PDB file of all heavy atoms in Angstrom:
ATOM      1  N   VAL A   1     177.713 139.395 109.140  1.00 98.00           N
ATOM      2  CA  VAL A   1     177.148 138.270 109.890  1.00 98.00           C
ATOM      3  C   VAL A   1     178.180 137.814 110.910  1.00 98.00           C
ATOM      4  O   VAL A   1     179.386 137.855 110.653  1.00 98.00           O
ATOM      5  CB  VAL A   1     176.780 137.096 108.951  1.00 98.00           C
ATOM      6  CG1 VAL A   1     178.001 136.566 108.207  1.00 98.00           C
ATOM      7  CG2 VAL A   1     176.116 135.978 109.740  1.00 98.00           C
ATOM      8  N   LEU A   2     177.701 137.432 112.062  1.00 98.00           N
ATOM      9  CA  LEU A   2     178.522 136.723 113.043  1.00 98.00           C
ATOM     10  C   LEU A   2     178.004 135.290 113.119  1.00 98.00           C
ATOM     11  O   LEU A   2     176.854 135.074 113.487  1.00 98.00           O
ATOM     12  CB  LEU A   2     178.465 137.369 114.419  1.00 98.00           C
ATOM     13  CG  LEU A   2     179.065 136.520 115.566  1.00 98.00           C
ATOM     14  CD1 LEU A   2     180.543 136.261 115.339  1.00 98.00           C
ATOM     15  CD2 LEU A   2     178.811 137.186 116.914  1.00 98.00           C
ATOM     16  N   ILE A   3     178.837 134.326 112.745  1.00 98.00           N
ATOM     17  CA  ILE A   3     178.472 132.917 112.850  1.00 98.00           C
ATOM     18  C   ILE A   3     179.166 132.377 114.087  1.00 98.00           C
ATOM     19  O   ILE A   3     180.392 132.357 114.179  1.00 98.00           O
ATOM     20  CB  ILE A   3     178.914 132.134 111.601  1.00 98.00           C
ATOM     21  CG1 ILE A   3     178.234 132.715 110.357  1.00 98.00           C
ATOM     22  CG2 ILE A   3     178.580 130.660 111.757  1.00 98.00           C
ATOM     23  CD1 ILE A   3     178.714 132.100 109.060  1.00 98.00           C
ATOM     24  N   SER A   4     178.364 131.971 115.058  1.00 97.00           N
ATOM     25  CA  SER A   4     178.932 131.491 116.314  1.00 97.00           C
ATOM     26  C   SER A   4     178.040 130.407 116.914  1.00 97.00           C
ATOM     27  O   SER A   4     176.843 130.611 117.072  1.00 97.00           O
ATOM     28  CB  SER A   4     179.085 132.639 117.311  1.00 97.00           C
ATOM     29  OG  SER A   4     179.616 132.173 118.534  1.00 97.00           O
ATOM     30  N   GLU A   5     178.650 129.280 117.250  1.00 95.00           N
ATOM     31  CA  GLU A   5     177.895 128.155 117.807  1.00 95.00           C
ATOM     32  C   GLU A   5     178.044 128.057 119.320  1.00 95.00           C
ATOM     33  O   GLU A   5     177.557 127.112 119.922  1.00 95.00           O
ATOM     34  CB  GLU A   5     178.366 126.843 117.157  1.00 95.00           C
ATOM     35  CG  GLU A   5     178.144 126.813 115.654  1.00 95.00           C
ATOM     36  CD  GLU A   5     178.647 125.543 115.013  1.00 95.00           C
ATOM     37  OE1 GLU A   5     179.630 124.948 115.551  1.00 95.00           O
ATOM     38  OE2 GLU A   5     178.097 125.127 113.997  1.00 95.00           O
ATOM     39  N   ASN A   6     178.701 129.037 119.939  1.00 92.00           N
ATOM     40  CA  ASN A   6     178.914 128.953 121.382  1.00 92.00           C
ATOM     41  C   ASN A   6     178.539 130.264 122.063  1.00 92.00           C
ATOM     42  O   ASN A   6     178.155 131.246 121.407  1.00 92.00           O
ATOM     43  CB  ASN A   6     180.371 128.563 121.677  1.00 92.00           C
ATOM     44  CG  ASN A   6     181.367 129.521 121.019  1.00 92.00           C
ATOM     45  OD1 ASN A   6     181.249 130.724 121.139  1.00 92.00           O
ATOM     46  ND2 ASN A   6     182.340 128.953 120.313  1.00 92.00           N
ATOM     47  N   ALA A   7     178.677 130.278 123.375  1.00 90.00           N
ATOM     48  CA  ALA A   7     178.246 131.424 124.168  1.00 90.00           C
ATOM     49  C   ALA A   7     179.083 132.668 123.924  1.00 90.00           C
ATOM     50  O   ALA A   7     178.708 133.771 124.335  1.00 90.00           O
ATOM     51  CB  ALA A   7     178.277 131.057 125.647  1.00 90.00           C
ATOM     52  N   HIS A   8     180.215 132.513 123.261  1.00 92.00           N
ATOM     53  CA  HIS A   8     181.078 133.661 122.969  1.00 92.00           C
ATOM     54  C   HIS A   8     180.395 134.623 121.998  1.00 92.00           C
ATOM     55  O   HIS A   8     180.859 135.766 121.830  1.00 92.00           O
ATOM     56  CB  HIS A   8     182.398 133.172 122.386  1.00 92.00           C
ATOM     57  CG  HIS A   8     183.443 134.244 122.270  1.00 92.00           C
ATOM     58  ND1 HIS A   8     183.833 135.018 123.339  1.00 92.00           N
ATOM     59  CD2 HIS A   8     184.163 134.663 121.210  1.00 92.00           C
ATOM     60  CE1 HIS A   8     184.767 135.868 122.940  1.00 92.00           C
ATOM     61  NE2 HIS A   8     184.970 135.687 121.649  1.00 92.00           N
ATOM     62  N   ALA A   9     179.300 134.195 121.387  1.00 95.00           N
ATOM     63  CA  ALA A   9     178.583 135.031 120.414  1.00 95.00           C
ATOM     64  C   ALA A   9     178.156 136.361 121.014  1.00 95.00           C
ATOM     65  O   ALA A   9     178.193 137.410 120.349  1.00 95.00           O
ATOM     66  CB  ALA A   9     177.361 134.280 119.890  1.00 95.00           C
ATOM     67  N   VAL A  10     177.721 136.337 122.271  1.00 97.00           N
ATOM     68  CA  VAL A  10     177.206 137.556 122.912  1.00 97.00           C
ATOM     69  C   VAL A  10     178.297 138.619 122.996  1.00 97.00           C
ATOM     70  O   VAL A  10     178.101 139.772 122.572  1.00 97.00           O
ATOM     71  CB  VAL A  10     176.647 137.242 124.311  1.00 97.00           C
ATOM     72  CG1 VAL A  10     176.265 138.521 125.043  1.00 97.00           C
ATOM     73  CG2 VAL A  10     175.443 136.303 124.201  1.00 97.00           C
ATOM     74  N   HIS A  11     179.438 138.255 123.511  1.00 96.00           N
ATOM     75  CA  HIS A  11     180.545 139.209 123.639  1.00 96.00           C
ATOM     76  C   HIS A  11     181.040 139.660 122.259  1.00 96.00           C
ATOM     77  O   HIS A  11     181.258 140.844 122.021  1.00 96.00           O
ATOM     78  CB  HIS A  11     181.687 138.574 124.428  1.00 96.00           C
ATOM     79  CG  HIS A  11     182.921 139.444 124.507  1.00 96.00           C
ATOM     80  ND1 HIS A  11     182.994 140.538 125.327  1.00 96.00           N
ATOM     81  CD2 HIS A  11     184.101 139.375 123.846  1.00 96.00           C
ATOM     82  CE1 HIS A  11     184.172 141.113 125.203  1.00 96.00           C
ATOM     83  NE2 HIS A  11     184.863 140.432 124.289  1.00 96.00           N
ATOM     84  N   MET A  12     181.194 138.700 121.352  1.00 97.00           N
ATOM     85  CA  MET A  12     181.725 139.017 120.027  1.00 97.00           C
ATOM     86  C   MET A  12     180.818 139.976 119.274  1.00 97.00           C
ATOM     87  O   MET A  12     181.279 140.910 118.629  1.00 97.00           O
ATOM     88  CB  MET A  12     181.929 137.717 119.239  1.00 97.00           C
ATOM     89  CG  MET A  12     182.495 137.940 117.849  1.00 97.00           C
ATOM     90  SD  MET A  12     184.215 138.457 117.884  1.00 97.00           S
ATOM     91  CE  MET A  12     185.000 136.996 117.249  1.00 97.00           C
ATOM     92  N   ALA A  13     179.514 139.727 119.333  1.00 98.00           N
ATOM     93  CA  ALA A  13     178.567 140.586 118.627  1.00 98.00           C
ATOM     94  C   ALA A  13     178.649 142.020 119.132  1.00 98.00           C
ATOM     95  O   ALA A  13     178.600 142.987 118.343  1.00 98.00           O
ATOM     96  CB  ALA A  13     177.152 140.044 118.786  1.00 98.00           C
ATOM     97  N   LYS A  14     178.755 142.191 120.443  1.00 98.00           N
ATOM     98  CA  LYS A  14     178.856 143.530 121.005  1.00 98.00           C
ATOM     99  C   LYS A  14     180.118 144.226 120.525  1.00 98.00           C
ATOM    100  O   LYS A  14     180.129 145.452 120.299  1.00 98.00           O
ATOM    101  CB  LYS A  14     178.812 143.451 122.516  1.00 98.00           C
ATOM    102  CG  LYS A  14     177.478 143.005 123.085  1.00 98.00           C
ATOM    103  CD  LYS A  14     177.522 142.838 124.594  1.00 98.00           C
ATOM    104  CE  LYS A  14     176.176 142.368 125.141  1.00 98.00           C
ATOM    105  NZ  LYS A  14     176.229 142.152 126.609  1.00 98.00           N
ATOM    106  N   MET A  15     181.213 143.467 120.367  1.00 97.00           N
ATOM    107  CA  MET A  15     182.452 144.041 119.876  1.00 97.00           C
ATOM    108  C   MET A  15     182.321 144.448 118.414  1.00 97.00           C
ATOM    109  O   MET A  15     182.729 145.560 118.024  1.00 97.00           O
ATOM    110  CB  MET A  15     183.583 143.026 120.022  1.00 97.00           C
ATOM    111  CG  MET A  15     183.881 142.595 121.447  1.00 97.00           C
ATOM    112  SD  MET A  15     184.546 143.954 122.441  1.00 97.00           S
ATOM    113  CE  MET A  15     186.136 144.159 121.677  1.00 97.00           C
ATOM    114  N   ILE A  16     181.742 143.598 117.588  1.00 98.00           N
ATOM    115  CA  ILE A  16     181.623 143.874 116.157  1.00 98.00           C
ATOM    116  C   ILE A  16     180.761 145.104 115.898  1.00 98.00           C
ATOM    117  O   ILE A  16     180.986 145.857 114.934  1.00 98.00           O
ATOM    118  CB  ILE A  16     181.045 142.638 115.433  1.00 98.00           C
ATOM    119  CG1 ILE A  16     181.998 141.456 115.561  1.00 98.00           C
ATOM    120  CG2 ILE A  16     180.771 142.941 113.958  1.00 98.00           C
ATOM    121  CD1 ILE A  16     181.392 140.133 115.109  1.00 98.00           C
ATOM    122  N   TYR A  17     179.784 145.349 116.755  1.00 98.00           N
ATOM    123  CA  TYR A  17     178.859 146.471 116.614  1.00 98.00           C
ATOM    124  C   TYR A  17     179.595 147.811 116.546  1.00 98.00           C
ATOM    125  O   TYR A  17     179.085 148.769 115.953  1.00 98.00           O
ATOM    126  CB  TYR A  17     177.877 146.453 117.789  1.00 98.00           C
ATOM    127  CG  TYR A  17     176.724 147.410 117.656  1.00 98.00           C
ATOM    128  CD1 TYR A  17     175.640 147.101 116.824  1.00 98.00           C
ATOM    129  CD2 TYR A  17     176.673 148.594 118.370  1.00 98.00           C
ATOM    130  CE1 TYR A  17     174.555 147.965 116.710  1.00 98.00           C
ATOM    131  CE2 TYR A  17     175.606 149.467 118.272  1.00 98.00           C
ATOM    132  CZ  TYR A  17     174.555 149.154 117.444  1.00 98.00           C
ATOM    133  OH  TYR A  17     173.478 150.012 117.337  1.00 98.00           O
ATOM    134  N   GLN A  18     180.778 147.887 117.113  1.00 97.00           N
ATOM    135  CA  GLN A  18     181.579 149.110 117.049  1.00 97.00           C
ATOM    136  C   GLN A  18     181.986 149.439 115.614  1.00 97.00           C
ATOM    137  O   GLN A  18     182.141 150.600 115.250  1.00 97.00           O
ATOM    138  CB  GLN A  18     182.827 148.958 117.923  1.00 97.00           C
ATOM    139  CG  GLN A  18     183.817 150.108 117.850  1.00 97.00           C
ATOM    140  CD  GLN A  18     183.245 151.406 118.411  1.00 97.00           C
ATOM    141  OE1 GLN A  18     182.280 151.399 119.165  1.00 97.00           O
ATOM    142  NE2 GLN A  18     183.856 152.523 118.024  1.00 97.00           N
ATOM    143  N   TRP A  19     182.142 148.412 114.784  1.00 98.00           N
ATOM    144  CA  TRP A  19     182.572 148.619 113.403  1.00 98.00           C
ATOM    145  C   TRP A  19     181.404 148.662 112.423  1.00 98.00           C
ATOM    146  O   TRP A  19     181.511 149.271 111.377  1.00 98.00           O
ATOM    147  CB  TRP A  19     183.564 147.524 113.001  1.00 98.00           C
ATOM    148  CG  TRP A  19     184.929 147.721 113.578  1.00 98.00           C
ATOM    149  CD1 TRP A  19     185.942 148.464 113.030  1.00 98.00           C
ATOM    150  CD2 TRP A  19     185.441 147.203 114.802  1.00 98.00           C
ATOM    151  NE1 TRP A  19     187.049 148.425 113.850  1.00 98.00           N
ATOM    152  CE2 TRP A  19     186.770 147.661 114.940  1.00 98.00           C
ATOM    153  CE3 TRP A  19     184.910 146.384 115.808  1.00 98.00           C
ATOM    154  CZ2 TRP A  19     187.567 147.332 116.030  1.00 98.00           C
ATOM    155  CZ3 TRP A  19     185.699 146.060 116.899  1.00 98.00           C
ATOM    156  CH2 TRP A  19     187.013 146.533 117.013  1.00 98.00           C
ATOM    157  N   SER A  20     180.326 147.945 112.715  1.00 98.00           N
ATOM    158  CA  SER A  20     179.163 147.945 111.823  1.00 98.00           C
ATOM    159  C   SER A  20     177.890 147.713 112.610  1.00 98.00           C
ATOM    160  O   SER A  20     177.790 146.758 113.384  1.00 98.00           O
ATOM    161  CB  SER A  20     179.305 146.857 110.746  1.00 98.00           C
ATOM    162  OG  SER A  20     178.155 146.843 109.919  1.00 98.00           O
ATOM    163  N   LYS A  21     176.908 148.575 112.379  1.00 97.00           N
ATOM    164  CA  LYS A  21     175.607 148.453 113.027  1.00 97.00           C
ATOM    165  C   LYS A  21     174.679 147.515 112.250  1.00 97.00           C
ATOM    166  O   LYS A  21     173.628 147.121 112.746  1.00 97.00           O
ATOM    167  CB  LYS A  21     174.950 149.831 113.164  1.00 97.00           C
ATOM    168  CG  LYS A  21     175.812 150.889 113.864  1.00 97.00           C
ATOM    169  CD  LYS A  21     176.165 150.470 115.285  1.00 97.00           C
ATOM    170  CE  LYS A  21     176.879 151.578 116.040  1.00 97.00           C
ATOM    171  NZ  LYS A  21     178.323 151.671 115.725  1.00 97.00           N
ATOM    172  N   ASP A  22     175.069 147.166 111.018  1.00 98.00           N
ATOM    173  CA  ASP A  22     174.289 146.256 110.173  1.00 98.00           C
ATOM    174  C   ASP A  22     174.790 144.844 110.427  1.00 98.00           C
ATOM    175  O   ASP A  22     175.704 144.353 109.768  1.00 98.00           O
ATOM    176  CB  ASP A  22     174.456 146.644 108.702  1.00 98.00           C
ATOM    177  CG  ASP A  22     173.521 145.869 107.786  1.00 98.00           C
ATOM    178  OD1 ASP A  22     172.962 144.832 108.214  1.00 98.00           O
ATOM    179  OD2 ASP A  22     173.369 146.277 106.617  1.00 98.00           O
ATOM    180  N   LEU A  23     174.194 144.186 111.419  1.00 98.00           N
ATOM    181  CA  LEU A  23     174.733 142.919 111.918  1.00 98.00           C
ATOM    182  C   LEU A  23     173.633 141.903 112.210  1.00 98.00           C
ATOM    183  O   LEU A  23     172.593 142.280 112.759  1.00 98.00           O
ATOM    184  CB  LEU A  23     175.565 143.173 113.182  1.00 98.00           C
ATOM    185  CG  LEU A  23     176.178 141.973 113.896  1.00 98.00           C
ATOM    186  CD1 LEU A  23     177.207 141.269 113.004  1.00 98.00           C
ATOM    187  CD2 LEU A  23     176.818 142.403 115.209  1.00 98.00           C
ATOM    188  N   ILE A  24     173.893 140.671 111.868  1.00 98.00           N
ATOM    189  CA  ILE A  24     173.022 139.574 112.233  1.00 98.00           C
ATOM    190  C   ILE A  24     173.851 138.486 112.889  1.00 98.00           C
ATOM    191  O   ILE A  24     175.022 138.278 112.510  1.00 98.00           O
ATOM    192  CB  ILE A  24     172.272 138.998 110.998  1.00 98.00           C
ATOM    193  CG1 ILE A  24     171.304 137.894 111.425  1.00 98.00           C
ATOM    194  CG2 ILE A  24     173.246 138.486 109.955  1.00 98.00           C
ATOM    195  CD1 ILE A  24     170.431 137.392 110.288  1.00 98.00           C
ATOM    196  N   ILE A  25     173.279 137.801 113.890  1.00 98.00           N
ATOM    197  CA  ILE A  25     173.979 136.694 114.570  1.00 98.00           C
ATOM    198  C   ILE A  25     173.324 135.393 114.142  1.00 98.00           C
ATOM    199  O   ILE A  25     172.105 135.231 114.249  1.00 98.00           O
ATOM    200  CB  ILE A  25     173.888 136.834 116.103  1.00 98.00           C
ATOM    201  CG1 ILE A  25     174.416 138.195 116.562  1.00 98.00           C
ATOM    202  CG2 ILE A  25     174.645 135.702 116.779  1.00 98.00           C
ATOM    203  CD1 ILE A  25     174.122 138.497 118.001  1.00 98.00           C
ATOM    204  N   CYS A  26     174.124 134.452 113.675  1.00 98.00           N
ATOM    205  CA  CYS A  26     173.641 133.118 113.300  1.00 98.00           C
ATOM    206  C   CYS A  26     174.287 132.087 114.203  1.00 98.00           C
ATOM    207  O   CYS A  26     175.517 131.977 114.228  1.00 98.00           O
ATOM    208  CB  CYS A  26     173.966 132.815 111.839  1.00 98.00           C
ATOM    209  SG  CYS A  26     173.129 133.880 110.669  1.00 98.00           S
ATOM    210  N   THR A  27     173.470 131.329 114.923  1.00 97.00           N
ATOM    211  CA  THR A  27     174.014 130.338 115.857  1.00 97.00           C
ATOM    212  C   THR A  27     174.033 128.926 115.271  1.00 97.00           C
ATOM    213  O   THR A  27     174.440 127.992 115.944  1.00 97.00           O
ATOM    214  CB  THR A  27     173.209 130.331 117.170  1.00 97.00           C
ATOM    215  OG1 THR A  27     171.872 129.893 116.893  1.00 97.00           O
ATOM    216  CG2 THR A  27     173.179 131.713 117.803  1.00 97.00           C
ATOM    217  N   ASN A  28     173.554 128.770 114.038  1.00 97.00           N
ATOM    218  CA  ASN A  28     173.621 127.482 113.323  1.00 97.00           C
ATOM    219  C   ASN A  28     172.978 126.341 114.103  1.00 97.00           C
ATOM    220  O   ASN A  28     173.561 125.280 114.303  1.00 97.00           O
ATOM    221  CB  ASN A  28     175.079 127.139 112.979  1.00 97.00           C
ATOM    222  CG  ASN A  28     175.167 126.015 111.952  1.00 97.00           C
ATOM    223  OD1 ASN A  28     174.317 125.882 111.090  1.00 97.00           O
ATOM    224  ND2 ASN A  28     176.210 125.197 112.055  1.00 97.00           N
ATOM    225  N   GLY A  29     171.750 126.583 114.552  1.00 96.00           N
ATOM    226  CA  GLY A  29     171.002 125.520 115.212  1.00 96.00           C
ATOM    227  C   GLY A  29     171.237 125.391 116.698  1.00 96.00           C
ATOM    228  O   GLY A  29     170.656 124.520 117.356  1.00 96.00           O
ATOM    229  N   ASN A  30     172.063 126.255 117.279  1.00 95.00           N
ATOM    230  CA  ASN A  30     172.392 126.192 118.704  1.00 95.00           C
ATOM    231  C   ASN A  30     171.694 127.315 119.461  1.00 95.00           C
ATOM    232  O   ASN A  30     171.691 128.467 119.017  1.00 95.00           O
ATOM    233  CB  ASN A  30     173.895 126.302 118.900  1.00 95.00           C
ATOM    234  CG  ASN A  30     174.655 125.166 118.256  1.00 95.00           C
ATOM    235  OD1 ASN A  30     174.754 124.090 118.822  1.00 95.00           O
ATOM    236  ND2 ASN A  30     175.177 125.388 117.048  1.00 95.00           N
TER     237      ASN A  30
END
């Protein structure tokens, strides 16, 4: 899981995808 409340989520998720394709992004209400 990527927990991110800001716009950095987009870049971070793309980076994490290199290590794992099983990924969900949670923005916690944002």
Side-chain angles (χ1 to χ4, degrees):
V1 61
L2 168 62
I3 300 174
S4 179
E5 299 178 331
N6 55 50
H8 190 54
V10 173
H11 175 76
M12 181 70 110
K14 293 176 181 178
M15 298 294 291
I16 296 169
Y17 190 77
Q18 175 65 20
W19 284 273
S20 177
K21 306 299 187 279
D22 188 344
L23 178 64
I24 183 174
I25 305 169
C26 295
T27 65
N28 194 32
N30 298 279

